[in-house]
Amino acid sequence: MTAFFSSNFLVIAHRGASAEAPENTLPAFARALAVGAPAVELDVYAAHGELWVIHDDALDRTTNGTGRLEDHDPATLRGFDAGAGAVIPTLTEVLDLIGARAGVNIELKGPGTAEPVCALLEKRNTPPEQIVLSAFDHRELERAKALAPQWPRGALFGKDPSNAVTKGQALGAASLNFADRTVTQALLSEAQSAGFRTLVYTVNDRTRARELRDWGASGIFCDDPGAMIAAVTC
Ligand code: G3P
Ligand code: MG
């Protein structure tokens, strides 16, 4: 089994290898594995008793459907094209594809996702070390912590990373996940000194990736993990 934090500097496939295949589809995750990504990131919403791997709560940007996920029954959702003929996958399908071959960062996108995601991971006997649950909405992480504290949590921060250490401590987070535009060496140092892993999104510039690596970041989310792995390991 691949532990999520399996190397000193993780190149995480953001929505799968989303530069090479439609984001958050099985081909994107298969490509991430093929290029040797040690971990993948995906976004998940709960609707109609199922967990759907998709970034938006609306279908319009990434599929040929329109409207919100919850406006359509599961059979209709499965009929939409999420790119190059791929369907919107369920979390079960993505986890089945990945197996033990990579770490998985499950980003909880909507309210009410923590409980079904934790239940699914428990049912599958997923090793906690393979997983990071993250969310911008820290209430979902609080629910995950209360329901199933064994799944490591990653506190996501957007434009404002102030008090990240204090917030991460309250959540019992394993990692603090920062937007690239907010990251300074001092912010990373503060988080690392407090014992957190630090992950930065979304970093596609190779020079910047190397800078973050040299500052001690634990990893980055990127869209082209094959190219990025070559760039940061040289
Ligand atoms: O988890 C990192 C990144 O995925 C957060 O932003 O909008 O791409 O889900 P977003
Ligand atoms: Mg995401």
Side-chain angles (χ1 to χ4, degrees):
M1 188 275 300
T2 302
F4 190 88
F5 294 103
S6 60
S7 64
N8 284 340
F9 187 70
L10 279 177
V11 173
I12 305 164
H14 180 238
R15 312 179 193 176
S18 55
E20 296 191 273
E23 67 177 58
N24 280 322
T25 62
L26 293 179
F29 297 111
R31 182 66 187 154
L33 295 173
V35 301
V40 304
E41 185 263 359
L42 58 86
D43 307 289
V44 69
Y45 279 93
H48 306 291
E50 186 55 87
L51 290 162
W52 302 97
V53 177
I54 186 168
H55 181 271
D56 305 348
D57 64 355
L59 298 159
D60 304 61
R61 183 180 64 83
T62 61
T63 79
N64 63 350
T66 58
R68 293 163 61 86
L69 269 181
E70 61 197 35
D71 295 340
H72 303 278
D73 62 34
T76 307
L77 288 174
R78 290 292 276 193
F80 294 132
D81 185 339
V87 297
I88 304 169
T90 65
L91 181 57
T92 294
E93 289 171 329
V94 177
L95 294 175
D96 283 348
L97 172 73
I98 293 169
R101 293 184 284 172
V104 185
N105 176 193
I106 301 172
E107 187 183 341
L108 308 172
K109 276 295 189 194
T113 44
E115 186 170 359
V117 167
C118 290
L120 179 67
L121 294 174
E122 184 133 5
K123 192 172 118 194
R124 295 175 62 89
N125 289 316
T126 306
E129 300 75 25
Q130 190 184 5
I131 299 294
V132 171
L133 302 181
S134 65
F136 287 106
D137 182 351
H138 292 174
R139 292 169 301 183
E140 283 305 309
L141 297 181
E142 285 166 9
R143 285 186 200 107
K145 182 185 173 201
L147 283 165
Q150 69 270 33
W151 308 111
R153 292 168 295 286
L156 266 165
F157 296 90
K159 283 187 295 226
D160 178 12
S162 56
N163 303 314
V165 163
T166 308
K167 291 172 183 170
Q169 286 167 337
L171 293 165
S175 69
L176 304 182
N177 302 359
F178 296 117
D180 185 24
R181 64 188 179 281
T182 70
V183 170
T184 60
Q185 191 167 15
L187 179 67
L188 292 181
S189 296
E190 184 195 358
Q192 288 148 12
S193 298
F196 293 104
R197 309 277 191 162
T198 52
L199 301 174
V200 185
Y201 67 90
T202 302
V203 183
N204 289 318
D205 181 273
R206 297 170 201 182
T207 303
R208 175 62 169 169
R210 284 191 284 261
E211 180 173 55
L212 291 165
R213 177 199 63 191
D214 295 345
W215 286 355
S218 307
I220 54 164
F221 300 87
C222 73
D223 298 329
D224 189 350
M228 189 58 85
I229 289 167
V232 299
T233 51
C234 64

